[in-house]
Amino acid sequence: MSTTAIVIVVVVVVVLLAAGLAARPYLKRRQLQAKFGPEYDHLVRDKGDRRTAEQELEERQRRHEKFELRPLTEESREGYLRDWAWAQEQFVDSPRGAVRRADELVGQIMRDRGYPVEGTEQQIADLSVEHSKVLGNYRIAHDISSRGDDDPPSTEDLRNAMRHYRTLVEDLLDHATTERSK
């Protein structure tokens, strides 16, 4: 092989390696965007820095991998569906109580599945790995349910909170069913 051919091969290999290294952050970003959906954009806005947000999302994935998540039994799932129906029925007489019950129910389902329950922000971070598409619902619902007496939510706000909690509860229960059938 001539010297010119060797130089061309070396240059091509170096260019390909450089292109691969340059594409790596882009591919990682696309993977995180696909996995986390709207949560990716939310975290980038919240952190004000794409790199910091991506590092946090990767940390969430590593933390999530350590969980020993378990599927719900059919009996347990049916019990949660009854609890949810009861919370909805209670809305007529006690909207705030029904919303509080919905928030508690989310924590109970998470605990039963094997998620650590360490406060709302950590719950959101933990849920983001598998339930990112409905996470905005949880944020909105929890913000409404945690309003104090100085800024009490209206009945319409509470109704919206129940709708948002329903989306999350259904996703949690559907995901537990899907996981069980695998």
Side-chain angles (χ1 to χ4, degrees), residues 72-88:
L72 296 175
T73 64
E74 192 57 38
E75 180 180 298
S76 173
R77 185 178 182 284
E78 291 300 320
Y80 284 127
L81 288 171
R82 281 190 303 275
D83 287 350
W84 176 250
W86 182 83
Q88 287 179 301

Side-chain angles (χ1 to χ4, degrees), residues 94-161:
S94 176
R96 282 195 96 163
V99 169
R100 270 194 303 276
R101 178 62 191 128
D103 191 61
E104 292 168 358
L105 190 58
V106 167
Q108 288 176 327
I109 295 169
M110 288 181 67
R111 196 174 303 107
D112 198 9
R113 292 277 330 278
Y115 283 99
V117 183
E118 303 170 1
T120 305
E121 287 306 311
Q122 190 59 57
Q123 284 176 309
I124 288 171
D126 292 342
L127 287 173
S128 70
V129 177
E130 290 184 352
H131 303 277
S132 63
K133 302 220 178 343
V134 298
L135 217 47
N137 295 64
Y138 187 30
R139 278 193 180 93
I140 293 167
H142 186 76
D143 287 347
I144 292 169
S145 71
S146 61
R147 282 192 203 162
D149 292 334
D150 56 324
D151 181 26
S154 68
T155 303
E156 183 63 18
D157 291 338
L158 295 168
R159 186 185 71 75
N160 284 326

Side-chain angles (χ1 to χ4, degrees), residues 3-58:
T3 306
T4 306
I6 292 173
V7 168
I8 290 173
V9 168
V10 169
V11 167
V12 167
V13 168
V14 168
V15 167
L16 289 174
L17 285 173
L21 289 174
R24 190 170 180 217
Y26 173 77
L27 294 174
K28 180 177 78 168
R29 177 172 303 134
R30 298 295 293 171
Q31 178 188 28
L32 289 170
Q33 287 172 325
K35 173 137 184 97
F36 288 94
E39 181 65 6
Y40 178 93
D41 296 328
H42 173 83
L43 203 56
V44 168
R45 276 190 312 274
D46 188 51
K47 298 295 180 184
D49 173 27
R50 186 176 304 278
R51 179 176 287 159
T52 303
E54 289 175 354
Q55 288 172 343
E56 182 169 325
L57 292 172
E58 289 173 334

